[in-house]
Amino acid sequence: MARLLSIAQPHFSWITALTPVHLEGMRNMATIVEEKLLLAAATRETGQVWMTAEVASQSEGMEAQWLARSEIISMQSGGETQPRILRAQPGAYELDLPTLGVISLPLEATHEATQVAIAARMALAFGVPPAELTQRLCNLPRP
């Protein structure tokens, strides 16, 4: 990660997950967490970092000034500013997304719903109009 970050410093970062999927290239989970969080740490101070609550919880105890400019998405906490899963049926998820309202999507798993919620937050932050984003989401094809 450090080599890639030496080429370009990101304005925006999205850390999707910290899982054992990369173990073949790294020694252990601690190394995976450290490498992925380098991306957040390298994000410009004027930028934004998006991540799930699970990712944020794995950064506890680290020196993380970037957390102040992070938006942490939690599908479990609910509340007016957090997305919620209203129905979790494979192939037919129903999400309540802040600013967009309730949307039915052809998702297969909860982690996909979390990724959609973060992608929607990012799209809104980048200026995609809510009505256009809602239309795009509602027209997602079934996998």
Side-chain angles (χ1 to χ4, degrees):
M1 185 66 70
R3 183 176 64 81
L4 294 173
L5 293 171
S6 72
I7 297 168
Q9 183 181 18
H11 290 272
F12 306 99
S13 301
W14 178 7
I15 303 173
T16 58
L18 299 171
T19 64
V21 71
H22 297 291
L23 278 176
E24 69 277 2
M26 301 193 194
R27 295 180 302 275
N28 53 46
M29 273 303 295
T31 303
I32 293 171
V33 171
E34 184 179 303
E35 285 291 306
K36 293 280 190 165
L37 295 180
L38 280 175
L39 179 62
T43 301
R44 296 174 190 255
E45 287 187 27
T46 57
Q48 175 79 37
V49 179
W50 288 271
M51 69 184 70
T52 65
E54 294 76 22
V55 168
S57 71
Q58 292 185 48
S59 66
E60 288 178 6
M62 301 181 133
E63 188 175 322
Q65 296 86 0
W66 51 267
L67 274 173
R69 62 183 184 281
S70 297
E71 183 167 356
I72 299 168
I73 307 296
S74 173
M75 298 299 278
Q76 286 77 36
S77 70
E80 290 182 21
T81 63
Q82 291 292 333
R84 292 182 302 137
I85 296 174
L86 303 177
R87 182 178 58 186
Q89 178 181 337
Y93 269 66
E94 191 169 273
L95 307 179
D96 185 1
L97 301 173
T99 307
L100 303 179
V102 176
I103 298 176
S104 295
L105 297 167
L107 307 175
E108 295 297 323
T110 299
H111 74 277
E112 293 175 333
T114 302
Q115 302 308 333
V116 165
I118 294 175
R121 286 283 179 89
M122 292 174 72
L124 292 168
F126 294 144
V128 175
E132 180 182 332
L133 182 55
T134 299
Q135 181 180 12
R136 288 181 185 183
L137 289 171
C138 288
N139 290 322
L140 281 177
R142 276 193 153 224

